[in-house]
Amino acid sequence: MAKTLDVLKQRRSCRAFTNRPVEKEKMAAILEAGTYAPTGMGKQSPIIIVIKDPKVKETLRRMNAEIMGGKD
């Protein structure tokens, strides 16, 4: 148990994104996993939206930055 706690305390999330699209097979696996992920007592139906259009993604990014008080 102590080892698990050490791992949790020391883990870090490092994100490096590219403009390369995700392969269809990988996207299908991600969406399937999200569909079967646990929800609040099994009473929440997942809604998963995939946005590929760069203009829409940029609009959503700006809106999120504004809501979260981040920089544009």
Side-chain angles (χ1 to χ4, degrees), residues 45-62:
S45 298
I47 298 173
I48 302 171
I49 300 170
V50 178
I51 308 224
K52 295 181 179 182
D53 185 309
K55 289 181 182 178
V56 174
K57 286 196 287 187
E58 179 60 19
T59 299
L60 291 173
R61 185 196 68 75
R62 288 179 185 259

Side-chain angles (χ1 to χ4, degrees), residues 13-33:
S13 177
C14 299
R15 298 180 177 133
F17 300 103
T18 67
N19 289 330
R20 192 175 39 137
V22 176
E23 294 88 358
K24 286 184 180 185
E25 297 81 19
K26 288 183 181 178
M27 181 60 72
I30 292 167
L31 295 175
E32 183 178 9

